[in-house]
């Protein structure tokens, strides 16, 4: 009888762990999008493609792949810290599942807070009728995550605006030149595209862009 109870309890624990694993896997895309550098990177890459005027080149699959691998590179110290502080002790049965989740959230929260503007954090604190704690790491995730996302969207759009400026100047110069030559029927975008590509390749645009994105995360 006792062995049966042990087996039932063991099966119950295994079922619970399986349920938790499946839940984490289901939420993994949202975690990648909302709690890492992925959002800023993919938006900036999309802005770059629009500024160049290359339509669907690079294709969406390439942009998402670049964003994923750059995110993995940027988040590797955080992932390593989560692995050392939470996953390895839990795998060795040194801590409970609840303690593992609590430890895993600390490096993620530290990363998000480093890249969150104080104004965004204060806004969500006001919405939740809460006050700033002495240690921002004590703030709940339901405040840190939306504040982090708001800051990321703001930074991504600022970078996008700065990316558009040089290419917009090329469009203006080409349009003015065509107008002065009386070539009204010739689309300016067709003429300016090679000059945009030439400028982007000459300054090694991809390397500069990736370098700025990686260094932008403190």
């Amino acid at each position: 009888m006792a062995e049966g109870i042990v087996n039932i309890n063991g099966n119950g624990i295994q079922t619970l762990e399986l349920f938790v694993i499946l839940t984490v896997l289901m939420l993994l895309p949202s975690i990648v999008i909302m709690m890492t550098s992925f959002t800023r990177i993919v938006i900036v890459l999309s802005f770059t493609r629009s500024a160049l005027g290359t339509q669907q080149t690079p294709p969406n699959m390439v942009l998402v792949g670049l964003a994923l691998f750059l995110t993995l590179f940027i988040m590797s110290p955080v992932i390593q810290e989560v692995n050392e502080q939470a996953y390895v002790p839990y795998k060795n049965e040194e801590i409970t599942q609840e303690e593992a989740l609590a430890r895993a959230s600390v490096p993620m929260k530290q990363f998000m807070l480093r890249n969150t503007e104080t104004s965004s954090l204060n806004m969500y604190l006001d919405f939740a009728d809460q006050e700033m704690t002495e240690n921002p790491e004590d703030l709940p995730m339901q405040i840190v995550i939306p504040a982090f996302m708001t800051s990321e969207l703001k930074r991504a759009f600022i970078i996008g605006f700065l990316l558009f400026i040089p290419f917009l100047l090329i469009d203006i110069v080409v349009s003015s030149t065509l107008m002065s030559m009386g070539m009204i029927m010739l689309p300016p975008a067709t003429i300016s595209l090679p000059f945009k590509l030439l400028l982007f390749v000459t300054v090694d645009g991809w390397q500069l862009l990736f370098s700025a994105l990686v260094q932008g995360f403190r």
Side-chain angles (χ1 to χ4, degrees), residues 127-200:
F127 290 160
D129 291 329
Q130 296 187 20
E131 295 182 357
M132 176 67 75
T133 58
E134 294 183 1
N135 186 8
E137 295 178 8
D138 295 333
L139 293 173
M141 278 291 192
Q142 59 264 29
I143 291 179
V144 175
I145 293 176
F148 170 73
M149 287 296 299
T150 304
S151 300
E152 287 295 280
L153 289 172
K154 178 182 177 180
R155 290 193 178 100
F157 275 71
I158 291 175
I159 296 172
F161 170 75
L162 296 176
L163 282 171
F164 264 92
I165 293 177
F167 300 115
L168 181 61
L169 293 175
I170 293 177
D171 285 331
I172 293 174
V173 171
V174 170
S175 299
S176 301
T177 304
L178 293 177
M179 288 287 291
S180 63
M181 297 174 62
M183 307 174 87
I184 302 176
M185 300 301 295
L186 187 62
T190 305
I191 306 300
S192 62
L193 179 58
F195 292 100
K196 292 180 181 179
L197 295 177
L198 178 63
L199 173 64
F200 196 70

Side-chain angles (χ1 to χ4, degrees), residues 4-22 90 93 95-98:
I5 294 175
V6 171
N7 290 334
I8 291 174
N9 290 336
N11 292 335
I13 293 174
Q14 292 178 0
T15 303
L16 180 60
E17 290 182 352
L18 180 61
F19 176 76
V20 171
I21 292 173
L22 291 176
Y90 174 71
E93 298 182 352
I95 58 176
T96 63
Q97 191 174 69
E98 291 76 11

Side-chain angles (χ1 to χ4, degrees), residues 17-36:
E17 290 182 352
L18 180 61
F19 176 76
V20 171
I21 292 173
L22 291 176
T23 302
V24 172
L25 290 176
M26 291 174 59
L27 296 176
L28 186 59
S30 299
I31 293 174
V32 171
I33 293 174
M34 300 181 65
M35 299 175 63
T36 67

